[in-house]
Every structure is written in C-alpha cells, then in structure tokens.
Amino acid sequence: MAKYVLSDRGRRALDGLYTAIAQINGASRGVHSSFALDPTAEQRLEDLQREQVAFLQRINVLGVRDLIGQVIGLGTEDMIASRTAEEDLPRKPKYVGQTEGREYRLYDTEFDTKLPWQIIDAWSKFDDFAQRYSRHVAISVALSRIAVGWHGLTAAASTDAATNPNGEDVNIGWLQKLRLEKADHVMGRATITAGGVTTATGAAAPIYIGMNADHADGDYKNIDALAYDLIAGMPSWARSSTEHVVLVSQDLVDEKYFPMINRPLADTIDGGRSISDVVTRDIIMSTQQIGGRPAAIVPKFPEKTMVITPLAQPNGSGSSNLSMYYQEGSRRRYIKDEPENKASLVDYNSVNEGYVIEDTDFMVMAENITFGDRP
C-alpha cells in the first residue's frame, strides 16, 4: 500500500493549527514540547466542552487546588438562620453546604487523540480548520468524561479499553461512589460488609417490573412506583428538594415518556452529513414525569438503571448534586507529528480529575431493573 503524503494545503492548515494552539495556551516554546495550560486557557477548554455537550451544563465542573481534599458540599440545603443573644456572642457563621468529612481524590487521566493525514487534508479546505479540530476534541473528551462518570468502578494504574469499553477502570464514577458511600440508597444490588463498612458492591439483585409484580419481593408494577419508592428512601429534607430529576436509561422508557422527536441532519467534523447525535451529546427532557419528578435521558447512561438527584438548569440556575473536580494547573498538552503512528497529528492531553457526589442524602439509584414477573 502506497504511503500517504500530506498535501501542501494540509501542511499549511496543520501549521496554522499549531500556531493557534500555542498562542491560545501561552506555549512560548510551541506545542511540540509539553506545556501547561494557563488558567484562562484552562477555563476556555472547560467552557468549550460545556458548549458542545449540554449535560456538562447541568453538573458542577470545579477547579480545586489539591489532589486529595474535602468534598465542597455544593447545593446542600442547610439551615443557617439563627439569633445570638449578647451574652452568647460572638456569632458563629455556618458553612453554606455540608462537607460531612467526606474526601475526594483526583487521578491523572489521559485524553490522547490522533488524526490521520487523509482527514487533515479533507478538513484543510475549511477556513475554520482549527475551530473544527478544537470542537472535535472537546466533544470526544466531554463524552469520555461523562461515560466514566456513569460507568467508572476503579482507577487502574494502566487501563484496558478492550476489557473496559466505558472507562470502567479509568476513575471511580458517581454511581460507584454511591455504592461505596451510601449503600442504603442503592437498590438492585446485594450489600457487602467488610471492616465494619457496608457497600452496595455485591452481586446483582434484579428488580422486576410487571403487572403481576409482588411488592413484597421488592418488585413494582411500573416505573413510576419504583421512582416513588426511591424518593421515599431519602431523608425528609432531601426528599423535599424541588430540583430532583429522574435519570433513566433508554431501555426503561417508551413513547409515554419520551415521544419520538425529529432528529435533524447535522454537520459532522469531516464536512459530511449524518444523523444528529443529540441522543448521545445532550440531555433529553421528557414532557412527562416519572414519580412526580421531571424525567431525562442523559449521555452514556447505563442500561437497566434509574437515578434520582438534583441537576442544575440549562441556564445555570439551581444547584446540581453531581460534580467533576479537576486540579487547577494540572492540565498538560503535547502535540507533534508521528509518522510512525501513520498520523500527522498526535495530541497528548492529561489532567488530574475526579467525580464527586456533593451530598449522598440527595441521591438514590436502582439498577438491574428488568421487565416481567420475578421467576
């Protein structure tokens, strides 16, 4: 097979991309040496991901200083009203939130990409080549982060994508955090107690949904009944939140909750046309409610699963119980030509980040949900 050679137009576009990235990130030595992103560029990258993948607008994405620290406790509805008599001074301010002594831990995560010469030549005809590339990377990184948030179980020293296609070994995601930190808020999985700590990390314990379901066995006649029971398992102060959203997997809902929508054709990164990836990039809200709360399908969500927790509004109002923390100043990037990889652009990205539930009282989940009567 003949070796593909990058065209002069492709080389000019690629050199222009290198220059643009160096200028935006303040990489004085250029992009072919490892460089850190300055705070402005770091925030611009986060903003670009949020613009391209709407679900990131509904959670908290926060920069923190340390690799290990206390959970910030955003969005917790604490009672702070008080009064202090003169003899009881000084006044004692309260933190607006609840850390509960819970700890977060960040792990180095790599988001490395490569681009074949043929694709660069195809894109080089567009004046916005650099912007197209940036959007492409932003979408890939954002969707990868969300997938790990739902599916992540461990943080392995070296990951194996073949065995863990959803990033199960990249980081400890939100669902696993709840299994580990609040076992009594998880349905559909057996609990395990070791060293005095109980977690919901045992074998699957399927929940059955069917007209003849027996509630005594932990089963339900419909999805709504399950949602109501999950909410009832929250403490009263958490149960009353008006910001709860019922997140469900596509396999659990039908036309009643999510009527078919017209999915328009959308421009793809390579200049072609394909079915819009709204179902993979955006949060889809239902006009119907489940368990009396708004229902939504979110990107990369695991099948047979339901989660109820507060999410922020698209305009940024309200509070979200789900967060991603990244260590400020930890982003590293290194771009170069790698003919040995049959790619003209290899983009090495890394950042220290982790997943956090701000308050586990405000989150419940059911997994291993199955339609039909219990055998």
Side-chain angles (χ1 to χ4, degrees), residues 28-29 41 142 145 155 174 183 212 239 305 316 328 363-364:
S28 58
R29 293 186 297 169
R145 296 170 93 184
W174 298 303
N212 299 315
R239 191 187 316 143
T305 303
E328 295 172 341
M363 182 172 175
V364 288

Side-chain angles (χ1 to χ4, degrees), residues 237-317:
W237 60 87
R239 191 187 316 143
S240 61
S241 171
T242 59
E243 296 176 334
H244 283 304
V245 175
V246 181
L247 308 179
V248 288
S249 53
Q250 179 69 66
D251 61 307
L252 296 184
V253 293
D254 55 22
E255 293 291 314
K256 171 186 175 183
Y257 298 105
F258 292 87
M260 289 300 294
I261 60 175
N262 293 321
R263 299 188 176 97
L265 292 175
D267 286 319
T268 58
I269 188 69
D270 59 1
R273 305 280 283 179
S274 70
I275 297 299
S276 169
D277 48 357
V278 62
V279 293
T280 60
R281 286 170 51 185
D282 291 344
I283 180 170
I284 303 177
M285 300 299 299
S286 174
T287 56
Q288 302 288 331
Q289 293 189 334
I290 296 179
R293 306 299 171 101
I297 294 175
V298 297
K300 305 295 184 179
F301 200 69
E303 292 187 346
K304 301 183 178 181
T305 303
M306 174 187 292
V307 168
I308 304 175
T309 199
L311 290 183
Q313 297 301 311
N315 60 9
S317 63

Side-chain angles (χ1 to χ4, degrees), residues 134-175:
S134 296
R135 288 195 299 269
H136 173 63
V137 172
I139 291 168
S140 298
V141 171
L143 291 177
S144 296
R145 296 170 93 184
I146 293 170
V148 174
W150 297 130
H151 297 272
L153 301 176
T154 62
S158 291
T159 59
D160 184 345
T163 305
N164 302 289
N166 294 305
E168 290 87 348
D169 57 351
V170 172
N171 211 321
I172 302 171
W174 298 303
L175 303 191

Side-chain angles (χ1 to χ4, degrees), residues 24-270:
I24 290 173
N25 294 284
S28 58
R29 293 186 297 169
V31 298
H32 301 312
S33 298
S34 180
F35 61 93
L37 277 64
D38 64 30
T40 301
E42 197 167 40
Q43 188 59 54
R44 186 184 293 114
L45 180 59
E46 289 293 344
D47 291 343
L48 180 60
Q49 290 184 38
R50 292 164 73 91
E51 290 169 7
Q52 299 301 315
V53 180
F55 179 68
L56 292 183
Q57 300 170 20
R58 309 294 295 271
I59 66 174
N60 311 303
V61 183
L62 304 169
V64 294
R65 187 184 64 183
D66 301 316
L67 279 172
I68 302 173
Q70 279 209 334
V71 170
I72 296 172
L74 290 173
T76 303
E77 300 175 5
D78 261 358
M79 167 57 69
I80 62 170
S82 65
R83 184 176 296 106
T84 306
E86 186 172 349
E87 62 270 20
D88 293 325
L89 292 172
R91 291 160 66 174
K92 301 175 180 62
K94 300 175 183 177
Y95 172 57
V96 184
Q98 181 60 263
T99 62
E100 301 176 328
R102 292 169 54 233
E103 185 180 86
Y104 72 79
R105 183 181 296 265
L106 311 184
Y107 297 92
D108 176 45
T109 308
E110 299 164 357
F111 299 99
D112 302 336
T113 59
K114 68 177 183 178
L115 211 59
W117 285 304
Q118 293 93 329
I119 298 298
I120 293 173
D121 269 339
W123 294 359
S124 64
K125 64 184 177 184
F126 299 107
D127 293 336
D128 62 345
F129 172 79
Q131 291 83 357
R132 284 174 180 258
Y133 176 73
S134 296
R135 288 195 299 269
H136 173 63
V137 172
I139 291 168
S140 298
V141 171
L143 291 177
S144 296
R145 296 170 93 184
I146 293 170
V148 174
W150 297 130
H151 297 272
L153 301 176
T154 62
S158 291
T159 59
D160 184 345
T163 305
N164 302 289
N166 294 305
E168 290 87 348
D169 57 351
V170 172
N171 211 321
I172 302 171
W174 298 303
L175 303 191
Q176 183 70 348
K177 291 276 187 180
L178 193 66
R179 297 183 191 106
L180 294 172
E181 298 180 12
K182 201 82 167 180
D184 59 348
H185 277 212
V186 178
M187 296 174 59
R189 189 171 292 279
T191 58
I192 294 176
T193 300
V197 177
T198 300
T199 62
T201 56
I207 300 167
Y208 288 89
I209 294 180
M211 291 303 297
N212 299 315
D214 184 354
H215 189 65
D217 290 332
D219 299 331
Y220 302 87
K221 294 188 182 301
N222 53 55
I223 288 288
D224 287 278
L226 173 57
Y228 277 117
D229 206 26
L230 279 172
I231 294 171
M234 292 180 174
S236 59
W237 60 87
R239 191 187 316 143
S240 61
S241 171
T242 59
E243 296 176 334
H244 283 304
V245 175
V246 181
L247 308 179
V248 288
S249 53
Q250 179 69 66
D251 61 307
L252 296 184
V253 293
D254 55 22
E255 293 291 314
K256 171 186 175 183
Y257 298 105
F258 292 87
M260 289 300 294
I261 60 175
N262 293 321
R263 299 188 176 97
L265 292 175
D267 286 319
T268 58
I269 188 69
D270 59 1

